[in-house]
Amino acid sequence: MRAIAVSAFRAEPCLVEMPKPDPAAGEVRVKVEYAALNPRDWQIADGALDGVLPHVFPLVLGTDFAGRVDMIGSGDNRFRVGDPVLGRVTAPPVGRCGAYGDYVCVPQDSPIALVPRDMPLRTAAALPSAGTTAAQILSSTAVRSGRSLLVVGATGGVGSFLTQLAAARGIGVVAAVRGDEGRRMGALGATATVDTTDPEALEAAVRELYPGGVDALVDLVSTDAASFASFAALLADGGVAVTTRGVAAPAGVAWADFRIAPAPGLLDELTSAVASGELEVPVDMELPLEKAPQALAQNRAGGARGKTVFAL
């Protein structure tokens, strides 16, 4: 089968031929039709989980997938051959199976769910990691209806989902972005959209809407303490800050370094919201699998808009 893999940490991803994996007991094998790009994919290739989980090389990249079950492993299983499914690759060893391959084997009790009727697999593939992350981040902030949320890096997959989920709860969302994304973010429910290339404009916009500061901050992009601190300065007293980049907030600010957690049933909730029209999946670009190395490099450089999916 075809796959995008790396031969060692920090090696260049490339298209390779590999044996088709066989499902172990309790697993399903999925013929992947679409895979979605996540920053986690190139971070794993760089060794983000080295020493945390076992790895195998060549390491097949990719976390999120959608396709159809084509083989069932031994033992009890809740899926059947032919079922359309979406899911996340989470079982170790890292690299044994990845979403950037024609086939992937995953445990039937892992983050995997049936794709609702009439939902395109292209759409389904873009949902698992970004949708789950956004829902769990929003829950962790405990922000209620009528309160406010500043999202830094709002145009990417997580930010786009987070903006929609928060707006649906009656939370005022200030979307901090790079460039002019006002129309798109407004359509997703943002109260205001501000270009972060002008820090003074961001502070002015926040102070005009929320003179006492915002109730919560979610920073999806800052990799240095100074940048995170500048956004945290816009919090109201008692506000909470969340980062996905492992950066500590300044003293006196309640903050959390978010990590996605197992959440049985959450994928079913998210797919139901998409199927009912309550949640839009922001697929910005579709590319053939062969273009994955270039897309990973571009994502590493930043400035993502929505989700990129690879067609297999």
Side-chain angles (χ1 to χ4, degrees):
M1 72 169 193
R2 301 171 307 151
I4 299 293
V6 293
S7 59
F9 291 131
R10 291 170 291 280
E12 289 295 321
C14 60
L15 184 69
V16 299
E17 286 289 333
M18 300 185 64
K20 185 188 302 185
D22 291 323
E27 290 188 333
V28 295
R29 187 174 71 192
V30 177
K31 174 63 178 74
V32 179
E33 295 191 25
Y34 288 94
L37 189 157
N38 292 288
R40 174 184 172 88
D41 302 336
W42 56 261
Q43 291 165 3
I44 286 175
D46 284 354
L49 298 179
D50 187 19
V52 178
L53 293 172
H55 293 63
V56 295
F57 293 93
L59 187 154
V60 181
L61 300 177
T63 304
D64 290 1
F65 65 89
R68 296 184 182 278
V69 175
D70 101 309
M71 190 174 181
I72 304 289
S74 61
D76 294 336
N77 209 295
R78 61 193 177 102
F79 297 102
R80 297 291 180 266
V81 171
D83 281 347
V85 294
L86 77 163
R88 300 178 58 241
V89 180
T90 58
V94 179
R96 172 200 167 218
C97 283
Y100 296 2
D102 288 322
Y103 293 88
V104 65
C105 291
V106 292
Q108 62 94 19
D109 57 357
S110 67
I112 180 173
L114 290 170
V115 176
R117 182 178 297 179
D118 298 330
M119 180 184 293
L121 292 178
R122 174 179 183 269
T123 299
L127 183 60
S129 288
T132 297
T133 298
Q136 291 184 345
I137 286 177
L138 185 58
S139 177
S140 73
T141 65
V143 179
R144 304 185 304 277
S145 177
R147 301 290 185 169
S148 54
L149 171 66
L150 171 61
V151 182
V152 181
T155 58
V158 174
S160 295
F161 283 123
L162 180 58
T163 297
Q164 294 179 77
L165 293 171
R169 292 190 183 183
I171 297 167
V173 179
V174 179
V177 305
R178 292 199 311 186
D180 183 11
E181 292 284 346
R183 179 174 297 179
R184 190 174 80 88
M185 296 311 301
L188 296 179
T191 301
T193 303
V194 187
D195 187 347
T196 57
T197 56
D198 184 351
E200 293 183 1
L202 176 60
E203 181 176 1
V206 170
R207 298 303 182 192
E208 180 178 355
L209 287 166
Y210 306 104
V214 291
D215 296 298
L217 159 70
V218 175
D219 188 341
L220 303 168
V221 296
S222 295
T223 57
D224 62 278
S227 296
F228 191 29
S230 69
F231 296 124
L234 301 175
L235 283 167
D237 291 341
V240 61
V242 177
T243 176
T244 58
R245 304 304 296 271
V247 182
V253 175
W255 67 283
D257 180 14
F258 177 82
R259 293 292 181 269
I260 193 169
L266 183 52
L267 273 183
D268 292 313
E269 295 176 22
L270 291 169
T271 55
S272 294
V274 174
S276 67
E278 298 172 16
L279 188 63
E280 176 185 337
V281 180
V283 176
D284 178 62
M285 188 182 305
E286 178 181 326
L287 299 170
L289 180 65
E290 292 80 5
K291 296 292 186 181
Q294 296 95 313
L296 285 164
Q298 184 176 354
N299 186 266
R300 185 196 297 269
R305 294 179 54 192
K307 296 289 294 182
T308 295
V309 297
F310 304 120
L312 286 84

